[in-house]
Amino acid sequence: MAGAHILHVDLDAFYASVEQLLDPSLRGKPVLVGGGVVLAASYEARAFGVSAPMGIRAALARCPQAIVVEGSFGRYREFSERVMDICRDSTPLVEQISVDEAFLDVSGTEHLLGTPRAIGSEIRRRVRVEIGLPISVGIARTKFLAKVASAQAKPDGMIEVLPSDELRWLHALPVRVMWGVGPVMERSLEQLGISSVGDLADTPIELLASRLGRATAAHLHALSRNRDPRPVVLHTAGKSVGAQSALGRGTADPHELSAVLLGLADRVARRLRKKDLAGRTVTVRARFADMSSHTRAATLASAVSTTAALHRCGIPLLDEARAEVIGPITLVGISVSRLERRRALQLELPFDVGDPTRAGSQRGAAALMIDEQLDAARARFGTEAVGRASVLLSTRGRVADAFRELAEKD
């Protein structure tokens, strides 16, 4: 059996910690980063029950003395890159999964740098001394267990789970530490008498499948026994571009879902154009309150990169997904694949008005012209300076695009 050679590094309360580092007057005080929605809360604020993605008003009701800051988007990316450079000094196998966390496989560098625990300790020391940020590290034989260990090590700690002890350690934890187990699923599991990971591992998979569905049951049952064969991989050039948005308690309102999808389509289309790409396959994902997810996809005759095309194609796909489950949708995502380099737009036959999913139709050409004008305005005045009215006027709390771009990886 292989030893514990995978590290999961996770910067603690990253956005808030950077703000406290940049402004010493914020240190030791409750800090909230965000606008209408809390994107990050310092540990001082979390002590009052504040967490993301809570609304700012609700957060201030719990912690009136909290200090709200909008965020230093460019600095967050800068600090992230410095931390990842330190990680790459320990091993070339670094899989960055977000702006503030990454997996490392140190099996090939132990003979040079020492044990995984020594490597983790050195990373923590360098991040604290050279950058000034707290970071937690989990060390285990699998990616799943390493991530659970880093979460248990917070704040600013390190836990190593040895292979000989991994199931005893994991099974003692509450079932909510499992990937994919949110409050709704946790309540469903409690109704089956499952409160710990050990309870989950001991429950027959057929019983879990009857309540959760076979795919979810198989996923959770495997992880409860630490069966996770995924290796640490280097990110290669993206084969798709996507974005998603969590909707809190969820909504079933078709107008609100359309506005959410339009905002996502705008983000994805803008990133496609920035990379000079277009794509033919559009995929929409919807997650429901019972934690089930449904995905639908469609392939277009020609590659597109406009907001209107993605929204026009995505709406019927979202409607198909909604038809599968009765209840609110808690997350919407859209992605574009089968990518190719954007070509010069050529009008196509027949010369009718057409629709935006036909890139060479009148509406397709008009949609591209509108998007390019928006791109130019945003480049000059900022990404929040202009947008589509139904998105800007949505009653749901909005997250600044700069934050979204930090979190999204192609």
Side-chain angles (χ1 to χ4, degrees):
M1 179 183 292
H5 62 282
I6 294 177
L7 277 61
H8 180 258
V9 298
D10 194 352
L11 288 154
D12 298 326
F14 179 50
Y15 301 155
S17 294
V18 171
E19 294 299 334
Q20 290 175 321
L21 179 64
L22 295 175
D23 184 354
S25 70
L26 298 177
R27 295 176 189 174
K29 298 178 181 178
V31 175
L32 307 178
V33 180
V37 176
V38 175
L39 299 170
S42 69
Y43 281 97
E44 295 84 357
R46 295 182 189 186
F48 291 85
V50 176
S51 62
M54 183 180 293
I56 288 289
R57 288 185 179 180
L60 290 175
R62 294 191 180 189
C63 184
Q65 67 273 41
I67 302 169
V68 181
V69 295
E70 291 186 355
S72 309
F73 313 118
R75 300 303 300 274
Y76 299 152
R77 190 179 298 279
E78 174 189 329
F79 279 103
S80 172
E81 291 172 352
R82 291 173 62 191
V83 171
M84 295 305 152
D85 285 344
I86 289 176
C87 291
R88 293 185 187 97
D89 286 344
S90 300
T91 174
L93 285 175
V94 176
E95 180 182 350
Q96 186 176 358
I97 57 175
S98 71
V99 70
D100 57 354
E101 58 180 321
F103 288 107
L104 288 67
D105 185 336
V106 299
S107 57
T109 54
E110 290 183 62
H111 63 293
L112 294 173
L113 303 176
T115 65
R117 188 174 189 87
I119 294 172
S121 296
E122 178 64 7
I123 290 173
R124 293 186 63 236
R125 185 195 69 80
R126 288 188 61 188
V127 171
R128 171 64 78 178
V129 172
E130 298 177 20
I131 302 176
L133 293 174
I135 188 169
S136 295
V137 176
I139 309 170
R141 188 173 54 89
T142 64
K143 292 170 78 171
F144 163 68
L145 202 58
K147 186 171 174 66
V148 173
S150 70
Q152 296 300 304
K154 287 180 174 293
D156 197 19
M158 182 171 70
I159 290 178
E160 179 181 16
V161 184
L162 298 175
S164 60
D165 198 39
E166 59 190 21
L167 290 183
R168 183 198 65 79
W169 184 83
L170 176 63
H171 287 176
L173 297 175
V175 73
R176 61 177 170 272
V177 306
M178 302 289 292
W179 288 351
V181 176
V184 174
M185 186 177 291
E186 185 178 11
R187 288 193 291 272
S188 294
L189 293 172
E190 286 177 350
Q191 292 172 1
L192 296 175
I194 299 171
S195 61
S196 70
V197 179
D199 294 336
L200 182 64
D202 292 338
T203 301
I205 194 169
E206 294 78 13
L207 179 58
L208 291 174
S210 67
R211 180 64 64 92
L212 307 176
R214 181 152 296 276
T216 300
H219 167 74
L220 292 178
H221 205 255
L223 291 183
S224 72
R225 301 184 178 203
N226 197 30
R227 295 172 183 165
D228 180 14
R230 298 169 306 151
V232 174
V233 296
L234 294 172
H235 281 298
T236 56
K239 297 181 180 180
S240 67
V241 174
Q244 64 183 27
S245 180
L247 307 180
R249 295 183 179 179
T251 180
D253 184 334
H255 298 292
E256 189 169 4
L257 290 170
S258 177
V260 171
L261 189 63
L262 180 60
L264 294 172
D266 184 36
R267 282 159 49 195
V268 172
R270 193 188 331 153
R271 290 163 61 199
L272 285 170
R273 294 190 299 274
K274 187 175 181 180
K275 297 172 182 288
D276 201 28
L277 295 173
R280 291 183 57 196
T281 298
V282 179
T283 302
V284 170
R285 174 180 174 235
R287 189 179 70 197
F288 296 83
D290 64 357
M291 294 302 293
S292 64
S293 293
H294 294 270
T295 302
R296 294 292 184 272
T299 298
L300 304 173
S302 58
V304 297
S305 61
T306 66
T307 300
L310 300 187
H311 188 245
R312 174 72 172 266
C313 185
I315 284 295
L317 298 177
L318 183 60
D319 288 342
E320 288 180 25
R322 288 177 60 209
E324 297 290 332
V325 177
I326 298 175
I329 292 178
T330 59
L331 179 144
V332 175
I334 185 170
S335 63
V336 181
S337 55
R338 297 188 66 178
L339 303 178
E340 60 187 56
R341 287 292 169 191
R342 283 206 301 157
R343 302 172 183 175
L345 184 63
Q346 181 174 342
L347 293 179
E348 60 188 37
L349 294 173
F351 291 125
D352 57 13
V353 173
D355 67 67
T357 63
R358 285 173 45 201
S361 70
Q362 290 184 38
R363 284 184 178 167
L368 181 60
M369 184 180 299
I370 291 171
D371 281 346
E372 289 177 338
Q373 292 299 315
L374 288 173
D375 290 343
R378 286 164 169 163
R380 182 174 181 182
F381 301 107
T383 57
E384 303 294 314
V386 63
R388 288 167 168 81
S390 60
V391 177
L392 295 176
L393 299 178
S394 172
T395 57
R396 188 168 294 276
R398 299 179 64 247
V399 176
D401 280 344
F403 272 112
R404 298 185 189 276
E405 290 166 3
L406 282 177
E408 292 167 351
K409 299 189 74 65
D410 300 334

